[in-house]
Amino acid sequence: MTNSSSTQTPSAQPQQPYPAPIGPAAAALLPLLILLFVLVVLIIGAGLLYVTIAHPSLATPLTVAVAGLTLVVTIAGAIAAFLAISRR
C-alpha cells in the first residue's frame, strides 16, 4: 500500500500564507521607474521650452501643453502617494 500523502499533487499541498521575500533587484525597480518618469518629464519640458524660445508665436498653445503636463505630473504624484500609503 502506498502512502496517500506522498501522492498528492503540488496544487493540493498547503500554500504559504505570506509572499516570498523580494530580492534587491525587485526592490530597486520602483526607484528606477520614478527616475525614468522624471527624466522623461524633463526631456519633454526641455523640448517645449526650446520650441517656445525658437518660435514665440507658439507660446499660447504651449502654455496649454504645459498645463496638461502639470496635470499628468499631479496625477502621477497622487498615485505614488496612494501606493506609498497602501504599502504600509
Side-chain angles (χ1 to χ4, degrees), residues 30-46 69 73 76:
L30 185 62
L32 287 176
L33 287 175
I34 292 171
L35 177 65
L36 179 67
F37 180 76
V38 168
L39 289 175
V40 167
V41 168
L42 286 176
I43 289 171
I44 292 171
L69 188 63
V73 171

Side-chain angles (χ1 to χ4, degrees), residues 18-88:
Y18 52 89
I22 60 172
L29 182 64
L30 185 62
L32 287 176
L33 287 175
I34 292 171
L35 177 65
L36 179 67
F37 180 76
V38 168
L39 289 175
V40 167
V41 168
L42 286 176
I43 289 171
I44 292 171
L48 292 175
L49 180 65
Y50 169 76
V51 170
T52 303
I53 291 172
H55 306 283
S57 64
L58 295 176
T60 303
L62 286 175
T63 302
V64 175
V66 169
L69 188 63
T70 304
L71 181 65
V72 169
V73 171
T74 304
I75 291 171
I79 291 171
F82 176 74
L83 289 175
I85 291 171
S86 66
R87 286 182 120 185
R88 291 184 183 188

